[in-house]
Amino acid sequence: MCKCCKEIKFWKEHKPDENKFKEKIFTKLSIYTWRKEQKAIKGKQISTVTSKTFDLNYCPMCGRKLTK
C-alpha cells in the first residue's frame, strides 16, 4: 500500500458526523510547467492545467483499485 492509498484509507475511516455531512471522494489532476532555468516553485509556473473533478476508483499513485 503506497502513501496515497494510506491517506485515502485514513479519510474513509475518519468520516465526519454522518448525521450532518455526506461525503464522496473525488480527485483532480493539475499539471504545472516551468522554464528550465526556473526553480519549480508553485506560483512561479508559466502554465497550469487543472482537470475537472472525477470519481476516484483507482489510486493515482500506484493504480490499485480502491474498495468502497
Side-chain angles (χ1 to χ4, degrees):
M1 186 179 292
C2 73
K3 183 178 177 181
C4 185
C5 290
K6 289 178 186 174
E7 187 77 20
I8 293 167
K9 183 179 176 187
F10 171 83
W11 286 111
K12 283 185 174 184
E13 291 174 355
H14 297 86
K15 294 180 180 181
D17 182 10
E18 291 181 2
N19 295 325
K20 294 182 181 179
F21 303 99
K22 64 180 182 177
E23 60 141 22
K24 189 169 184 181
I25 297 176
F26 292 97
T27 189
K28 249 185 175 180
L29 176 68
S30 296
I31 301 170
Y32 297 91
T33 308
W34 293 269
R35 289 192 172 87
K36 284 188 175 183
E37 61 274 0
Q38 286 182 312
K39 288 187 176 182
I41 301 170
K42 190 175 176 187
K44 302 286 186 179
Q45 68 270 13
I46 59 171
S47 68
T48 304
V49 178
T50 303
S51 73
K52 63 180 183 173
T53 59
F54 56 92
D55 292 340
L56 186 61
N57 298 322
Y58 295 91
C59 175
M61 300 283 290
C62 67
R64 187 175 73 89
K65 184 166 177 58
L66 301 172
T67 57
K68 293 276 178 179

